[in-house]
Amino acid sequence: MARPREFDEQDVVARATELFWRRGYTATGVRELGAELELKQSSLYRAFHDKRGLFLRALDRYRATESSQAEELLERPGPVREVLRDWLTCMAGEETGRGCLVVNTATELGAADPEVRRRTEAAFEVTRKALESLLRRGRDTGELPPDLDLDAAVDLLFTTVLGLRVRERAGHHPERLAATIDYAVRMLGAP
């Protein structure tokens, strides 16, 4: 008969998310996970099968919380440029030195792991769709130019936010990031 778990699985996943976010997948060893999570390796393997299994759960948790929070920021009412600037500012300065777990994972693991890539692309698609919806709203209300190429503008802003998240993790000065944000918003053109 299997012994009942002596830990809260959701709490373990939450703490593992923080560790992977801070250190990355490759730099986080199984021993370090065990020590940080206060779990024996056998418990970790029984619950999550391996480090990768725990990492996928952590990535899913991050996507369910942080990514949905970003989507909500883009969907809030108000002038489109203000909503966009506030969102970009939040994304660039949210977690000093940590960046975004999804962006960090995409840059660390790239296309090497199809399951990880599927998850990062799904998170990226949520962001792209929310950006497209915001820009369409701006175009429809006359806040943005009527001939704005939505696909190109979404790609520009999506690439900008990814770059901002990497630069934030690299410790670039917030004033430089703010200047980049202002310029990106101005690039959308006059209505």
Side-chain angles (χ1 to χ4, degrees), residues 165-187:
R165 296 305 295 257
V166 170
R167 290 181 66 194
E168 179 270 323
R169 183 170 173 96
H172 289 203
H173 199 280
E175 287 179 13
R176 296 299 310 146
L177 301 181
T180 300
I181 291 166
D182 288 341
Y183 192 74
V185 172
R186 279 197 314 271
M187 291 297 296

PDB file of all heavy atoms in Angstrom, residues 165-187:
ATOM      1  N   ARG A 165      11.846  42.091 -21.464  1.00  0.00           N
ATOM      2  CA  ARG A 165      11.956  41.115 -20.386  1.00  0.00           C
ATOM      3  C   ARG A 165      13.393  40.593 -20.262  1.00  0.00           C
ATOM      4  O   ARG A 165      13.902  40.401 -19.161  1.00  0.00           O
ATOM      5  CB  ARG A 165      10.993  39.935 -20.600  1.00  0.00           C
ATOM      6  CG  ARG A 165       9.503  40.272 -20.582  1.00  0.00           C
ATOM      7  CD  ARG A 165       8.981  40.999 -19.354  1.00  0.00           C
ATOM      8  NE  ARG A 165       9.026  40.322 -18.099  1.00  0.00           N
ATOM      9  CZ  ARG A 165       8.006  39.752 -17.476  1.00  0.00           C
ATOM     10  NH1 ARG A 165       6.813  39.758 -18.021  1.00  0.00           N
ATOM     11  NH2 ARG A 165       8.153  39.197 -16.303  1.00  0.00           N
ATOM     12  N   VAL A 166      14.044  40.376 -21.392  1.00  0.00           N
ATOM     13  CA  VAL A 166      15.445  39.929 -21.372  1.00  0.00           C
ATOM     14  C   VAL A 166      16.328  41.039 -20.809  1.00  0.00           C
ATOM     15  O   VAL A 166      17.190  40.790 -19.952  1.00  0.00           O
ATOM     16  CB  VAL A 166      15.908  39.491 -22.777  1.00  0.00           C
ATOM     17  CG1 VAL A 166      17.413  39.252 -22.813  1.00  0.00           C
ATOM     18  CG2 VAL A 166      15.154  38.250 -23.232  1.00  0.00           C
ATOM     19  N   ARG A 167      16.109  42.261 -21.259  1.00  0.00           N
ATOM     20  CA  ARG A 167      16.920  43.386 -20.765  1.00  0.00           C
ATOM     21  C   ARG A 167      16.705  43.615 -19.278  1.00  0.00           C
ATOM     22  O   ARG A 167      17.649  43.931 -18.542  1.00  0.00           O
ATOM     23  CB  ARG A 167      16.598  44.652 -21.560  1.00  0.00           C
ATOM     24  CG  ARG A 167      17.096  44.589 -23.006  1.00  0.00           C
ATOM     25  CD  ARG A 167      16.781  45.850 -23.763  1.00  0.00           C
ATOM     26  NE  ARG A 167      17.538  46.961 -23.194  1.00  0.00           N
ATOM     27  CZ  ARG A 167      17.273  48.235 -23.476  1.00  0.00           C
ATOM     28  NH1 ARG A 167      16.297  48.552 -24.302  1.00  0.00           N
ATOM     29  NH2 ARG A 167      18.004  49.198 -22.935  1.00  0.00           N
ATOM     30  N   GLU A 168      15.475  43.462 -18.816  1.00  0.00           N
ATOM     31  CA  GLU A 168      15.194  43.614 -17.388  1.00  0.00           C
ATOM     32  C   GLU A 168      15.962  42.560 -16.597  1.00  0.00           C
ATOM     33  O   GLU A 168      16.591  42.859 -15.591  1.00  0.00           O
ATOM     34  CB  GLU A 168      13.681  43.492 -17.155  1.00  0.00           C
ATOM     35  CG  GLU A 168      13.267  43.616 -15.700  1.00  0.00           C
ATOM     36  CD  GLU A 168      13.246  42.292 -14.976  1.00  0.00           C
ATOM     37  OE1 GLU A 168      12.857  41.279 -15.578  1.00  0.00           O
ATOM     38  OE2 GLU A 168      13.639  42.258 -13.804  1.00  0.00           O
ATOM     39  N   ARG A 169      15.953  41.332 -17.088  1.00  0.00           N
ATOM     40  CA  ARG A 169      16.689  40.258 -16.402  1.00  0.00           C
ATOM     41  C   ARG A 169      18.193  40.539 -16.397  1.00  0.00           C
ATOM     42  O   ARG A 169      18.890  40.201 -15.443  1.00  0.00           O
ATOM     43  CB  ARG A 169      16.402  38.906 -17.053  1.00  0.00           C
ATOM     44  CG  ARG A 169      17.102  37.756 -16.326  1.00  0.00           C
ATOM     45  CD  ARG A 169      16.609  36.413 -16.831  1.00  0.00           C
ATOM     46  NE  ARG A 169      17.374  35.323 -16.287  1.00  0.00           N
ATOM     47  CZ  ARG A 169      17.035  34.606 -15.226  1.00  0.00           C
ATOM     48  NH1 ARG A 169      15.929  34.897 -14.573  1.00  0.00           N
ATOM     49  NH2 ARG A 169      17.776  33.617 -14.809  1.00  0.00           N
ATOM     50  N   ALA A 170      18.676  41.148 -17.461  1.00  0.00           N
ATOM     51  CA  ALA A 170      20.101  41.456 -17.565  1.00  0.00           C
ATOM     52  C   ALA A 170      20.500  42.680 -16.740  1.00  0.00           C
ATOM     53  O   ALA A 170      21.678  43.036 -16.685  1.00  0.00           O
ATOM     54  CB  ALA A 170      20.474  41.672 -19.034  1.00  0.00           C
ATOM     55  N   GLY A 171      19.513  43.316 -16.108  1.00  0.00           N
ATOM     56  CA  GLY A 171      19.819  44.433 -15.222  1.00  0.00           C
ATOM     57  C   GLY A 171      19.969  45.779 -15.912  1.00  0.00           C
ATOM     58  O   GLY A 171      20.565  46.692 -15.352  1.00  0.00           O
ATOM     59  N   HIS A 172      19.409  45.931 -17.109  1.00  0.00           N
ATOM     60  CA  HIS A 172      19.494  47.215 -17.796  1.00  0.00           C
ATOM     61  C   HIS A 172      18.720  48.271 -17.015  1.00  0.00           C
ATOM     62  O   HIS A 172      17.727  47.985 -16.350  1.00  0.00           O
ATOM     63  CB  HIS A 172      18.961  47.104 -19.218  1.00  0.00           C
ATOM     64  CG  HIS A 172      19.867  46.314 -20.108  1.00  0.00           C
ATOM     65  ND1 HIS A 172      19.868  46.436 -21.466  1.00  0.00           N
ATOM     66  CD2 HIS A 172      20.822  45.389 -19.837  1.00  0.00           C
ATOM     67  CE1 HIS A 172      20.765  45.632 -21.992  1.00  0.00           C
ATOM     68  NE2 HIS A 172      21.350  44.979 -21.010  1.00  0.00           N
ATOM     69  N   HIS A 173      19.174  49.478 -17.140  1.00  0.00           N
ATOM     70  CA  HIS A 173      18.622  50.579 -16.350  1.00  0.00           C
ATOM     71  C   HIS A 173      17.160  50.838 -16.708  1.00  0.00           C
ATOM     72  O   HIS A 173      16.810  50.944 -17.887  1.00  0.00           O
ATOM     73  CB  HIS A 173      19.459  51.845 -16.584  1.00  0.00           C
ATOM     74  CG  HIS A 173      19.274  52.854 -15.514  1.00  0.00           C
ATOM     75  ND1 HIS A 173      18.186  53.703 -15.467  1.00  0.00           N
ATOM     76  CD2 HIS A 173      20.015  53.132 -14.408  1.00  0.00           C
ATOM     77  CE1 HIS A 173      18.271  54.477 -14.407  1.00  0.00           C
ATOM     78  NE2 HIS A 173      19.372  54.143 -13.746  1.00  0.00           N
ATOM     79  N   PRO A 174      16.301  50.975 -15.695  1.00  0.00           N
ATOM     80  CA  PRO A 174      14.871  51.199 -15.937  1.00  0.00           C
ATOM     81  C   PRO A 174      14.564  52.426 -16.810  1.00  0.00           C
ATOM     82  O   PRO A 174      13.599  52.416 -17.560  1.00  0.00           O
ATOM     83  CB  PRO A 174      14.295  51.372 -14.530  1.00  0.00           C
ATOM     84  CG  PRO A 174      15.233  50.633 -13.640  1.00  0.00           C
ATOM     85  CD  PRO A 174      16.592  50.797 -14.270  1.00  0.00           C
ATOM     86  N   GLU A 175      15.380  53.462 -16.706  1.00  0.00           N
ATOM     87  CA  GLU A 175      15.147  54.655 -17.540  1.00  0.00           C
ATOM     88  C   GLU A 175      15.309  54.333 -19.023  1.00  0.00           C
ATOM     89  O   GLU A 175      14.583  54.862 -19.862  1.00  0.00           O
ATOM     90  CB  GLU A 175      16.077  55.797 -17.131  1.00  0.00           C
ATOM     91  CG  GLU A 175      15.689  56.437 -15.822  1.00  0.00           C
ATOM     92  CD  GLU A 175      16.637  57.548 -15.409  1.00  0.00           C
ATOM     93  OE1 GLU A 175      17.455  57.998 -16.237  1.00  0.00           O
ATOM     94  OE2 GLU A 175      16.545  57.970 -14.245  1.00  0.00           O
ATOM     95  N   ARG A 176      16.271  53.489 -19.358  1.00  0.00           N
ATOM     96  CA  ARG A 176      16.464  53.089 -20.764  1.00  0.00           C
ATOM     97  C   ARG A 176      15.275  52.250 -21.240  1.00  0.00           C
ATOM     98  O   ARG A 176      14.820  52.378 -22.373  1.00  0.00           O
ATOM     99  CB  ARG A 176      17.762  52.296 -20.939  1.00  0.00           C
ATOM    100  CG  ARG A 176      19.026  53.071 -20.646  1.00  0.00           C
ATOM    101  CD  ARG A 176      19.247  54.286 -21.541  1.00  0.00           C
ATOM    102  NE  ARG A 176      19.101  53.953 -22.955  1.00  0.00           N
ATOM    103  CZ  ARG A 176      18.602  54.788 -23.875  1.00  0.00           C
ATOM    104  NH1 ARG A 176      18.228  55.989 -23.544  1.00  0.00           N
ATOM    105  NH2 ARG A 176      18.501  54.414 -25.117  1.00  0.00           N
ATOM    106  N   LEU A 177      14.788  51.385 -20.364  1.00  0.00           N
ATOM    107  CA  LEU A 177      13.631  50.567 -20.721  1.00  0.00           C
ATOM    108  C   LEU A 177      12.397  51.448 -20.907  1.00  0.00           C
ATOM    109  O   LEU A 177      11.614  51.235 -21.844  1.00  0.00           O
ATOM    110  CB  LEU A 177      13.383  49.501 -19.658  1.00  0.00           C
ATOM    111  CG  LEU A 177      14.538  48.526 -19.397  1.00  0.00           C
ATOM    112  CD1 LEU A 177      14.136  47.509 -18.340  1.00  0.00           C
ATOM    113  CD2 LEU A 177      15.006  47.850 -20.652  1.00  0.00           C
ATOM    114  N   ALA A 178      12.237  52.449 -20.051  1.00  0.00           N
ATOM    115  CA  ALA A 178      11.102  53.377 -20.174  1.00  0.00           C
ATOM    116  C   ALA A 178      11.170  54.149 -21.483  1.00  0.00           C
ATOM    117  O   ALA A 178      10.142  54.363 -22.143  1.00  0.00           O
ATOM    118  CB  ALA A 178      11.072  54.333 -18.980  1.00  0.00           C
ATOM    119  N   ALA A 179      12.367  54.556 -21.894  1.00  0.00           N
ATOM    120  CA  ALA A 179      12.528  55.273 -23.162  1.00  0.00           C
ATOM    121  C   ALA A 179      12.154  54.364 -24.334  1.00  0.00           C
ATOM    122  O   ALA A 179      11.514  54.799 -25.306  1.00  0.00           O
ATOM    123  CB  ALA A 179      13.967  55.774 -23.310  1.00  0.00           C
ATOM    124  N   THR A 180      12.527  53.106 -24.254  1.00  0.00           N
ATOM    125  CA  THR A 180      12.165  52.129 -25.292  1.00  0.00           C
ATOM    126  C   THR A 180      10.653  51.972 -25.372  1.00  0.00           C
ATOM    127  O   THR A 180      10.074  51.938 -26.464  1.00  0.00           O
ATOM    128  CB  THR A 180      12.824  50.767 -24.997  1.00  0.00           C
ATOM    129  OG1 THR A 180      14.237  50.939 -24.977  1.00  0.00           O
ATOM    130  CG2 THR A 180      12.444  49.724 -26.031  1.00  0.00           C
ATOM    131  N   ILE A 181      10.012  51.897 -24.225  1.00  0.00           N
ATOM    132  CA  ILE A 181       8.550  51.764 -24.180  1.00  0.00           C
ATOM    133  C   ILE A 181       7.880  52.972 -24.806  1.00  0.00           C
ATOM    134  O   ILE A 181       6.977  52.833 -25.640  1.00  0.00           O
ATOM    135  CB  ILE A 181       8.088  51.554 -22.722  1.00  0.00           C
ATOM    136  CG1 ILE A 181       8.532  50.183 -22.231  1.00  0.00           C
ATOM    137  CG2 ILE A 181       6.581  51.749 -22.585  1.00  0.00           C
ATOM    138  CD1 ILE A 181       8.425  49.981 -20.730  1.00  0.00           C
ATOM    139  N   ASP A 182       8.318  54.159 -24.436  1.00  0.00           N
ATOM    140  CA  ASP A 182       7.719  55.381 -25.000  1.00  0.00           C
ATOM    141  C   ASP A 182       7.865  55.398 -26.522  1.00  0.00           C
ATOM    142  O   ASP A 182       6.921  55.740 -27.231  1.00  0.00           O
ATOM    143  CB  ASP A 182       8.368  56.624 -24.390  1.00  0.00           C
ATOM    144  CG  ASP A 182       7.953  56.848 -22.936  1.00  0.00           C
ATOM    145  OD1 ASP A 182       6.913  56.272 -22.523  1.00  0.00           O
ATOM    146  OD2 ASP A 182       8.669  57.571 -22.228  1.00  0.00           O
ATOM    147  N   TYR A 183       9.033  55.033 -27.004  1.00  0.00           N
ATOM    148  CA  TYR A 183       9.258  55.035 -28.447  1.00  0.00           C
ATOM    149  C   TYR A 183       8.390  53.998 -29.145  1.00  0.00           C
ATOM    150  O   TYR A 183       7.806  54.258 -30.198  1.00  0.00           O
ATOM    151  CB  TYR A 183      10.739  54.809 -28.766  1.00  0.00           C
ATOM    152  CG  TYR A 183      11.056  55.085 -30.190  1.00  0.00           C
ATOM    153  CD1 TYR A 183      11.124  56.392 -30.675  1.00  0.00           C
ATOM    154  CD2 TYR A 183      11.262  54.057 -31.093  1.00  0.00           C
ATOM    155  CE1 TYR A 183      11.394  56.660 -32.005  1.00  0.00           C
ATOM    156  CE2 TYR A 183      11.537  54.300 -32.430  1.00  0.00           C
ATOM    157  CZ  TYR A 183      11.601  55.609 -32.882  1.00  0.00           C
ATOM    158  OH  TYR A 183      11.858  55.868 -34.197  1.00  0.00           O
ATOM    159  N   ALA A 184       8.275  52.819 -28.566  1.00  0.00           N
ATOM    160  CA  ALA A 184       7.444  51.766 -29.161  1.00  0.00           C
ATOM    161  C   ALA A 184       5.988  52.219 -29.266  1.00  0.00           C
ATOM    162  O   ALA A 184       5.341  51.974 -30.294  1.00  0.00           O
ATOM    163  CB  ALA A 184       7.551  50.479 -28.345  1.00  0.00           C
ATOM    164  N   VAL A 185       5.479  52.875 -28.243  1.00  0.00           N
ATOM    165  CA  VAL A 185       4.095  53.353 -28.271  1.00  0.00           C
ATOM    166  C   VAL A 185       3.937  54.444 -29.321  1.00  0.00           C
ATOM    167  O   VAL A 185       2.960  54.459 -30.063  1.00  0.00           O
ATOM    168  CB  VAL A 185       3.658  53.822 -26.860  1.00  0.00           C
ATOM    169  CG1 VAL A 185       2.297  54.511 -26.912  1.00  0.00           C
ATOM    170  CG2 VAL A 185       3.629  52.637 -25.891  1.00  0.00           C
ATOM    171  N   ARG A 186       4.925  55.337 -29.418  1.00  0.00           N
ATOM    172  CA  ARG A 186       4.868  56.405 -30.442  1.00  0.00           C
ATOM    173  C   ARG A 186       4.917  55.823 -31.860  1.00  0.00           C
ATOM    174  O   ARG A 186       4.350  56.391 -32.780  1.00  0.00           O
ATOM    175  CB  ARG A 186       6.019  57.387 -30.253  1.00  0.00           C
ATOM    176  CG  ARG A 186       5.781  58.420 -29.191  1.00  0.00           C
ATOM    177  CD  ARG A 186       6.724  59.610 -29.278  1.00  0.00           C
ATOM    178  NE  ARG A 186       8.121  59.291 -29.460  1.00  0.00           N
ATOM    179  CZ  ARG A 186       8.996  59.081 -28.482  1.00  0.00           C
ATOM    180  NH1 ARG A 186       8.611  59.151 -27.225  1.00  0.00           N
ATOM    181  NH2 ARG A 186      10.256  58.787 -28.745  1.00  0.00           N
ATOM    182  N   MET A 187       5.590  54.702 -32.036  1.00  0.00           N
ATOM    183  CA  MET A 187       5.716  54.092 -33.355  1.00  0.00           C
ATOM    184  C   MET A 187       4.370  53.652 -33.944  1.00  0.00           C
ATOM    185  O   MET A 187       4.280  53.391 -35.142  1.00  0.00           O
ATOM    186  CB  MET A 187       6.667  52.876 -33.319  1.00  0.00           C
ATOM    187  CG  MET A 187       8.124  53.221 -33.090  1.00  0.00           C
ATOM    188  SD  MET A 187       8.823  54.227 -34.404  1.00  0.00           S
ATOM    189  CE  MET A 187       8.724  53.117 -35.782  1.00  0.00           C
TER     190      MET A 187
END
